[in-house]
Every structure is written in structure tokens, then in C-alpha cells.
Amino acid sequence: MNQGTSRREFLGTLAAFSLFPLEQEKPDLILHNGNILTVNDRGPHAQAVAIARDRFLAVGSDSEVMNLASAATKKIDLGGKTVSPGFIDAHAHPAEAGLMHLRMVDCDRRSISAIQAALRERAAKTPPGEWVLGFKYDDTKTEEGRPLTAADLDAAVADHPVHIQHRGGHTVYVNSLGFRMAGVDEKTPDPPGGKIDRDPATGRLTGRVAESAQEFFEKAIPQNFTRGDHREGVKLISKMLARTGITSATEAQGTPTDLRAYQDAHESGDLLYRAYCFINFRFLDAMIAAGSRTGLGNEWVRVGAIKLVCDGSISERTARLSTPYEGRPNDYGILVMTEEELYAHGRKAHLAGWQIATHANGDVAIDTTMRVYERLQKESPCRDPRFRLEHCTVVNDSLIARIKALGAIPTPFSTYVYYHGEKMRYYGDERLNHMFALRSFLDAGIRATQASDYPPGEFIPMMALQSEVTRTDMKGNVWGPMQRITVEEAIRVGTINGAYASYEENIKGSIEVGKLADLVVLGRDPLKENPSTLVTIPVERTMAGGRWTFES
């Protein structure tokens, strides 16, 4: 039996098996008098749900469900509030982000001077010679209208090495001491798939480093996080996600250490969302040797796909495109891995029974990745491989047809139009009508997902809905209106489609009998909301597995 099919059948059997004992039980909790959006085509609306242990025991009208109550059943009157399945963020970096929030300077600030002040404050508390690290810097959101430079960082902190990561995660900004500590100077050549920016007039380092060139600094910066730090990072980000209605998230660039952190947090009761943990391809041999593969785990912590990377970033304008960026006639972006490298790693994973997920933003990268997937399926067919295209941003009709034919799963950015609207001008109106292409994917019958990529994008599901439905940024500018979808479609994208992407559509993603009791209570009904104010709908409660993970 092929591995894709066995994963699906195993999870389906798990859901069906849970129904038998539930039928013998009385509910622990009933939520009633609600407006429940089930995302179940057989019964899209309900008033009440009964929950036993961690699963839905009944879904239906108030009278039907209330009749199941025993004297011990707790009852909560929803007061007509809207309930949806818990949201699934199908591509984010929560474990890493949690560590960043614990240790690094949050550089999501609106001026270079404010960033400098924050760095000076941290440097004053940092032992001499140790690195000052920052994250969430965004070059297009500062009032100066230009990117950080090494000179800016030197002026802020000269006696510590400084390393600031862009929100997108594909570029960093470093001061002069940081370059010296990493052994990088004007004569250091660009590595394959990377770039060390230099002033075209003087040849001096600007401070910006892109893609694989970041590895110089990854080797130089000590990784001194303890096992407890990793657990605390998951605990911190769990609370942040739960507040927004997220009950599951894909860890999109995971490691064995992240898997252990998730397990530790789960055992200590601090894991508030279900983690589908991708594994970076560098750990593939070790995972195969350990007998691990996609699907191993339980409903809280599960091994996901092997993660490959083909090209660069949309927010940092390094994605590999077939035509140049607007206003940059010789800039087509960067390919991080060659097609043969992708094939070699992908083949090893495919033959070992792993799902494969490849970061591919630009149309050139998506085409390259699809050729690899098509070749793997032709040479070694798998009945249900669910190949994933992480981001899958810039598409065309031919690519969409191939994605549909292969049954591949795109995970486009959900909040980028709204949150990163000022960057959209680099792509042009015509190309924007083929970016984050949910309308095209859904019309083709492709099960695209909701994905924030946090930290690069915001993870707020209500922001994702507004971005997908309106294609409008924070200032009211419209980018790519042809790709608008409906609110109902956006909710499906953010729930059941995310479950499908991890082979878990039989156990979560909709409010149905036997499925895991993951849900969110909203302050207003998104189906009746003005689409331009969806982002303001408050999350009042979040539940995962019958347990409230957030209550306002």
C-alpha cells in the first residue's frame, strides 16, 4: 500500500472509531443558542453542539442537542454569537517565532531611529561582545523610505555585533562588527543561491545579506537556547495564536528540536494549538534512520512534510520571476536550489513515504517545483502524495492546470495584500491579478489553504478573511481584484482545506460528530459583516479539543 493512502486511511479509521464510544456517553458540555457555521455541506448551519471529552458528540438544533444533557452536563448560552471551526494556519513558523519573542528585539517599528533606540537599549543590557539580535524588521514600513544600512546599525551599536532579520526571513541586516565576526568582507564572493549587497559605486558592504548568504551568520551566532527555552517559546506563541482563533498550525521549517519542544509543551499543558511539523530537508537522513515519516504522532503533535526551498521572498522581492520586478529591469529574483538538487532531496523523501512541501513563490520557481513533482510521480507513483506548494504566489493558467492535474496543494499568503500592500507596486497590476490566486485555485477545484507565514505575515484569521475577500490593503488600495473570494469560501480555505493539507480532514476542519472539538466564538457574524471591517471582528473564545484555550 502506498504511504499517502495509508496515512489517509489511518486517520479516517481513527475518526470513525471514536464514534462508537461517544455514542455511549453523555456530553460534558453543550453550547447552545448559537449561529454555528459548521463548514459541513450536509448541514452548514446549527444552533448547538454537544461535546464529550475532546470531540463533538452532537451537532444540530437546540432541542435536539439539549435533550442529550445529563445533570452533570455544563451548558453555555452563546447568546446568538457566531461559531466557526477553529482556524488552521497551514504555513507559519510559530516555534521559531516564540523563541524570537523571548530573546530578540522586535523591530516592527515605524522609523529607523526607533529601531536604533531599541537596539541601543538592548545593547546596554547585553554582555560585551555578544550579539544583539532583532526580528520583524520591514524595510517598506519605516518613515525614512529606505532600507537599514550597516552605517545605521553602527551608529546605534558599534561595540556589539548586530544581526537584524527582515520579516520575510530571507534577508538580514548586519553591522560592521557583525560582518567581521562572520568573516565576511568586500572580497567575499556571493555563495550559490545568495547575495551580499555591495554599493555599486564603492564596492563597500551595504549591510544587507540575502538568501543562502545568511549561512555565514548562522554559523557565527551561538545557538544557546535550552530545552526549556524551546518549550517556553511554544508556550508564548500558543497564547498569541489562541487569542486570534487558531487551533492548528503547520510548523513550516521544523527540526527535531522543534518536535521535542512541541512534545514538551504538550506534556506540560502549554501547547494550545495542534502542530503539523514539517522537517527541514537537512534532517531527512536522520529522520529516516529513526523510522519517522509524515503522519507519525497524535492529534496534537504530528510529523509533517519534508521541507525544500526553491526561491526567495515576496515581501523582500527575491522571489524568482519570469519577468523583472517593476522599476528593476534586470532583477528577476533568486533561485535558492537547482532543479536537480530539489529532485535529489525530493526523490529520497518520496521513496521513503514522506509528503513533500517546497517553498516556491515566483512563477519560475513554481514551474521548476512542478517539474520535480511530476517527475517523481511518473517514476514512482504514489496514490495520494498531496505535494505542497508553499506560497505558490505568482501563477498562470498553465501552472494552475498542472497543479490541478497533480492534485498539489497551494498555500498562498493570506494576509499579504492587506498587511504588505505597499510592496505590491513592485509586481504591477497585471501580475497582481495572478498572485495569491485563491479565486483561480478554487474555480479550478484546487484545495488552497490559509497561511500567514508568521513572522513574515500577520497570523490573524480575521485579517486573512478581509484580505482574501476585498484584496484591499490598510490604506484602501486594491491589489489584484480578480482574485477576490467570498467570506464563505475564505472560511473553508482557513478550516477544512487546511486539514486536508495535513491528511487530517477526517478528524478536524469542520464541526461534525466525531471530529475534534476545535472551534472559535466570534463577536459578530462574518457573513453579515461589511467586508471592509472583517478584521475588527473580535474573537471571544477559542476551543481546542473541548478545552477553552482563550476566553476574552
Side-chain angles (χ1 to χ4, degrees):
M1 181 181 292
N2 71 76
Q3 186 56 35
T5 302
S6 65
R7 281 194 298 271
R8 181 180 60 183
E9 291 179 349
F10 168 74
L11 292 172
T13 301
L14 186 66
F17 178 77
S18 70
L19 289 173
F20 179 75
L22 283 178
E23 289 169 356
Q24 315 304 313
E25 294 189 49
K26 288 294 184 180
D28 303 311
L29 173 66
I30 288 178
L31 307 180
H32 62 99
N33 188 25
N35 171 38
I36 300 173
L37 311 176
T38 67
V39 191
N40 175 9
D41 292 336
R42 295 187 299 273
H45 297 278
Q47 292 178 303
V49 295
I51 296 164
R53 293 176 295 153
D54 63 346
R55 298 187 182 248
F56 294 116
L57 175 67
V59 181
S61 68
D62 282 340
S63 59
E64 291 169 333
V65 175
M66 293 293 277
N67 282 336
L68 300 175
S70 69
T73 300
K74 183 178 180 181
K75 306 177 189 70
I76 294 178
D77 186 338
L78 293 170
K81 292 293 174 65
T82 296
V83 174
S84 80
F87 286 96
I88 298 173
D89 191 334
H91 181 117
H93 302 272
E96 181 183 17
L99 287 174
M100 289 175 168
H101 280 286
L102 280 178
R103 292 281 190 89
M104 297 185 182
V105 178
D106 189 336
C107 294
D108 184 17
R109 299 164 194 262
R110 295 301 168 257
S111 70
I112 289 174
S113 60
I115 294 171
Q116 290 173 316
L119 294 174
R120 288 190 193 101
E121 182 180 351
R122 178 60 60 88
K125 303 173 184 175
T126 302
E130 291 191 10
W131 288 81
V132 173
L133 305 175
F135 77 120
K136 286 175 71 176
Y137 164 64
D138 194 329
D139 64 300
T140 65
K141 285 188 165 62
T142 55
E143 60 189 25
E144 290 85 355
R146 64 169 179 81
L148 275 171
T149 65
D152 293 325
L153 299 177
D154 289 342
V157 182
D159 55 352
H160 291 77
V162 178
H163 178 277
I164 308 298
Q165 188 175 102
H166 193 281
R167 276 202 81 130
H170 289 247
T171 56
V172 296
Y173 296 77
V174 185
N175 72 347
S176 297
L177 182 55
F179 278 113
R180 290 199 295 274
M181 295 278 283
V184 176
D185 58 27
E186 285 85 353
K187 297 179 182 178
T188 303
D190 289 339
K195 183 172 176 57
I196 304 166
D197 276 13
R198 297 167 173 83
D199 186 304
T202 65
R204 297 186 65 182
L205 301 176
T206 68
R208 180 180 181 270
V209 177
E211 303 299 346
S212 64
Q214 295 182 76
E215 293 177 10
F216 290 116
F217 303 93
E218 292 168 3
K219 294 174 182 175
I221 298 172
Q223 298 297 314
N224 56 357
F225 291 110
T226 66
R227 181 171 178 175
D229 289 335
H230 284 278
R231 185 191 66 250
E232 283 299 308
V234 171
K235 177 180 178 179
L236 174 60
I237 200 71
S238 277
K239 293 177 180 178
M240 294 171 66
L241 296 182
R243 292 180 67 89
T244 70
I246 292 172
T247 56
S248 291
T250 291
E251 179 66 50
Q253 190 68 285
T255 67
T257 300
D258 293 325
L259 272 177
R260 185 176 68 181
Y262 279 122
Q263 191 66 30
D264 287 347
H266 177 43
E267 290 174 356
S268 64
D270 295 318
L271 179 61
L272 305 180
Y273 62 92
R274 305 180 191 282
Y276 187 66
C277 192
F278 285 0
I279 300 296
N280 182 285
F281 72 93
R282 292 181 176 89
F283 300 97
L284 176 58
D285 288 341
M287 295 296 286
I288 291 174
S292 299
R293 62 187 178 196
T294 301
L296 179 67
N298 61 24
E299 293 95 343
W300 283 100
V301 183
R302 198 181 301 281
V303 176
I306 281 295
K307 173 70 178 297
L308 304 173
V309 179
C310 185
D311 72 337
S313 159
I314 289 296
S315 65
E316 295 152 284
R317 286 80 70 203
T318 58
R320 185 67 170 88
L321 307 173
S322 59
T323 56
Y325 287 87
E326 296 289 308
R328 293 155 65 171
N330 299 313
D331 187 356
Y332 294 81
I334 297 173
L335 280 175
V336 176
M337 296 177 76
T338 67
E339 185 172 338
E340 283 307 307
E341 288 173 322
L342 291 171
Y343 172 76
H345 295 300
R347 183 175 184 273
K348 182 182 293 185
H350 188 66
L351 293 177
W354 285 78
Q355 185 185 29
I356 305 171
T358 304
H359 169 116
N361 261 310
D363 52 347
V364 170
I366 298 166
D367 174 59
T368 300
T369 301
M370 286 300 297
R371 281 200 301 272
V372 170
Y373 288 167
E374 289 158 348
R375 181 178 173 187
L376 291 174
Q377 261 306 81
K378 182 177 180 180
E379 294 174 351
S380 305
C382 174
R383 187 173 169 187
D384 191 15
R386 301 196 193 184
F387 292 116
R388 292 180 52 145
L389 295 157
E390 304 307 305
H391 313 316
C392 195
T393 301
V394 183
V395 296
N396 54 48
D397 290 345
S398 173
L399 287 173
I400 290 169
R402 289 164 63 193
I403 292 168
K404 170 64 174 175
L406 194 64
I409 300 168
T411 62
F413 298 110
S414 297
T415 59
Y416 262 40
V417 172
Y418 180 86
Y419 189 78
H420 287 299
E422 77 280 355
K423 301 173 181 65
M424 297 300 106
R425 59 188 174 86
Y426 290 100
Y427 296 94
D429 291 343
E430 175 58 29
R431 189 155 42 196
L432 277 159
N433 272 320
H434 301 277
M435 292 175 62
F436 323 114
L438 283 177
R439 177 78 276 146
S440 296
F441 292 141
L442 298 183
D443 286 349
I446 295 168
R447 301 193 212 196
T449 69
Q450 179 175 301
S452 72
D453 199 30
Y454 186 77
E458 290 294 326
F459 54 73
I460 304 165
M462 291 299 107
M463 184 187 293
L465 262 60
Q466 182 163 322
S467 190
E468 294 161 354
V469 170
T470 69
R471 297 287 292 205
T472 301
D473 66 20
M474 288 184 280
K475 296 181 179 179
N477 301 305
V478 178
W479 306 99
M482 287 175 58
Q483 293 299 336
R484 288 172 173 149
I485 63 174
T486 69
V487 175
E488 294 95 330
E489 288 171 328
I491 292 172
R492 288 189 69 88
V493 165
T495 55
I496 193 66
N497 285 15
Y500 178 82
S502 60
Y503 292 94
E504 294 176 294
E505 72 274 16
N506 290 321
I507 62 170
K508 66 183 184 183
S510 60
I511 297 175
E512 298 183 57
V513 173
K515 284 194 173 184
L516 294 163
D518 299 353
L519 58 81
V520 56
V521 181
L522 301 173
R524 300 194 300 275
D525 184 352
L527 300 184
K528 297 178 179 177
E529 186 82 5
N530 184 323
S532 65
T533 58
L534 284 164
V535 71
T536 68
I537 294 177
V539 169
E540 297 194 349
R541 296 186 182 203
T542 305
M543 174 183 286
R547 166 191 174 199
W548 294 117
T549 57
F550 168 72
E551 296 181 82
S552 63

